């Protein structure tokens, strides 16, 4: 059955590719992008692909007027996909960057979600909200703590929403990608080097860079994103499925082992 799906953060990466894939599968897609210069290129791409059912709009979550406009649109599925990440040691990162990361990844998606689900509840219509979380929503590697703490918060919010909104016929779901090679994680790694200063910080730039480079050189740090895109195209419009969707299976198994072993972790 065809759905109308609103996606945030569809200007690139997973969001753009999955928006095109779901439109190809016959769904009506409202692909929203953060900044105006992203609108026309995606509209042109949709036109060149013959996807008249792929509508492109600007939705900057930091702009309350953009959010107010989005709340006038009708759709069956809200996919909170937009996000941003800060890297570096949590004991040295400027606290305003931590606050900003929570604003973008947690508070603003919650503002949009509250508006959408309150409209659905008042109209007594069913709906579905999907959050793009992360494998980092379920464990915490060193030097990624700021970003993954926002995803831990999203996991908790999604779990609460699932219980609170089930009586209203609204479904909640998370998608937890591994470290797929879309450029997102690599850009996030770069962010720490905006502020990290060898003359002031205890963590040295060369050491942090080596740690990131070593991770991205592993097979787990540079996976082909097509696998995740294909799963998103299946998961987001579906009426049934798991609450939590970690991809790939090897990462799901690693996370289960990590969470189990956490009970025996020592100081």
């Amino acid at each position: 059955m065809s759905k109308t799906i609103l996606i945030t953060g569809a200007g690139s990466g997973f969001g753009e590719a999955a928006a095109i894939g779901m439109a190809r599968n016959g769904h009506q897609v409202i692909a929203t992008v953060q900044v105006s210069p992203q609108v026309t290129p995606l509209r042109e791409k949709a036109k060149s692909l013959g996807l008249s059912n792929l509508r492109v709009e600007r939705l900057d979550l930091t702009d309350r007027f953009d959010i107010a406009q989005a709340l006038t649109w009708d759709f069956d599925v809200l996919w909170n996909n937009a996000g941003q990440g800060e890297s570096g040691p949590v004991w040295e990162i400027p606290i305003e960057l931590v606050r900003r990361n929570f604003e973008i990844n947690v508070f603003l998606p919650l503002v949009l979600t509250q508006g959408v689900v309150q409209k659905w509840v008042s109209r007594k219509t069913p709906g579905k909200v999907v959050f793009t979380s992360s494998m980092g929503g379920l464990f915490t590697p060193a030097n990624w703590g700021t970003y993954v703490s926002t995803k831990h918060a999203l996991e908790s919010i999604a779990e609460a929403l699932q219980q609170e909104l089930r009586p209203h016929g609204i479904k909640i779901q998370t998608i937890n990608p591994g470290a797929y090679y879309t450029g997102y994680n690599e850009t996030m790694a770069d962010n720490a080097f905006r502020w990290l200063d060898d003359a002031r910080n205890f963590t040295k730039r060369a050491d942090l860079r080596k740690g990131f480079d070593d991770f991205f050189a592993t097979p787990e740090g540079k996976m082909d994103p097509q696998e995740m895109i294909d799963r998103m195209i299946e998961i987001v419009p579906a009426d049934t499925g798991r609450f939590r969707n970690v991809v790939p299976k090897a990462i799901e198994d690693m996370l289960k082992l990590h969470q189990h072993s956490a009970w025996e972790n020592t100081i």
Side-chain angles (χ1 to χ4, degrees):
M1 180 179 172
S2 175
K3 300 284 178 56
T4 300
I5 302 162
L6 185 144
I7 309 172
T8 66
S12 63
F14 288 142
E16 178 186 339
I20 290 170
M22 288 189 285
R24 280 176 166 154
N25 284 350
H27 297 288
Q28 301 293 320
V29 176
I30 307 172
T32 69
V33 300
Q34 181 188 8
V35 295
S36 296
Q38 294 175 304
V39 172
T40 300
L42 189 51
R43 283 178 178 168
E44 292 294 328
K45 181 178 283 190
K47 184 178 179 181
S48 69
L49 294 171
L51 296 173
S52 58
N53 55 334
L54 177 56
R55 168 182 162 192
V56 182
E57 301 286 352
R58 194 192 73 166
L59 174 50
D60 178 354
L61 293 177
T62 67
D63 186 327
R64 66 186 179 90
F65 298 101
D66 278 9
I67 289 183
Q69 177 178 249
L71 292 177
T72 67
W73 303 333
D74 288 324
F75 44 88
D76 307 301
V77 179
L78 167 62
W79 179 15
N80 287 297
N81 177 66
Q84 181 261 345
E86 296 291 346
S87 63
V90 292
W91 64 291
E92 295 201 86
I93 187 171
I95 203 69
E96 61 264 38
L97 295 180
V98 180
R99 286 199 179 98
R100 182 170 177 268
N101 211 160
F102 270 82
E103 183 71 14
I104 294 170
N105 288 7
V106 181
F107 301 141
L108 292 173
L110 182 58
V111 168
L112 177 63
T113 299
Q114 285 181 338
V116 170
V117 299
Q118 287 174 22
K119 185 169 77 170
W120 287 342
V121 169
S122 67
R123 291 180 176 178
K124 302 185 186 312
T125 58
K128 178 179 172 183
V129 180
V130 182
F131 294 92
T132 299
S133 178
S134 166
M135 64 183 286
L138 301 168
F139 88 125
T140 306
N143 296 314
W144 300 94
T146 298
Y147 170 69
V148 303
S149 64
T150 69
K151 296 302 184 179
H152 277 71
L154 268 189
E155 290 284 330
S156 181
I157 286 171
E159 194 169 330
L161 288 172
Q162 185 194 33
Q163 298 167 73
E164 294 164 1
L165 291 171
R166 182 181 287 128
H168 300 284
I170 297 171
K171 298 174 181 176
I172 306 293
Q173 199 167 32
T174 69
I175 298 176
N176 302 65
Y180 289 96
Y181 185 50
T182 64
Y184 183 83
N185 295 317
E186 294 75 12
T187 303
M188 192 190 329
D190 289 343
N191 282 343
F193 299 95
R194 291 144 57 215
W195 56 266
L196 196 62
D197 184 345
D198 283 349
R200 188 174 63 248
N201 295 111
F202 294 92
T203 302
K204 299 308 173 192
R205 293 170 62 92
D207 293 340
L208 186 65
R209 177 60 78 186
K210 184 177 186 308
F212 289 149
D213 288 347
D214 287 348
F215 171 69
F216 290 129
T218 65
E220 294 78 16
K222 209 168 190 175
M223 296 184 291
D224 182 350
Q226 192 58 50
E227 176 187 29
M228 186 70 257
I229 293 164
D230 291 342
R231 291 287 290 126
M232 286 171 160
I233 292 169
E234 294 173 11
I235 293 166
V236 172
D239 289 324
T240 59
R242 299 165 73 180
F243 166 75
R244 174 177 293 157
N245 297 272
V246 178
V247 182
K249 182 65 166 58
I251 296 298
E252 178 181 327
D253 293 342
M254 182 276 286
L255 293 173
K256 287 177 178 175
L257 182 62
H258 171 80
Q259 292 185 326
H260 180 72
S261 63
W263 289 96
E264 307 302 328
N265 195 8
T266 58
I267 60 173

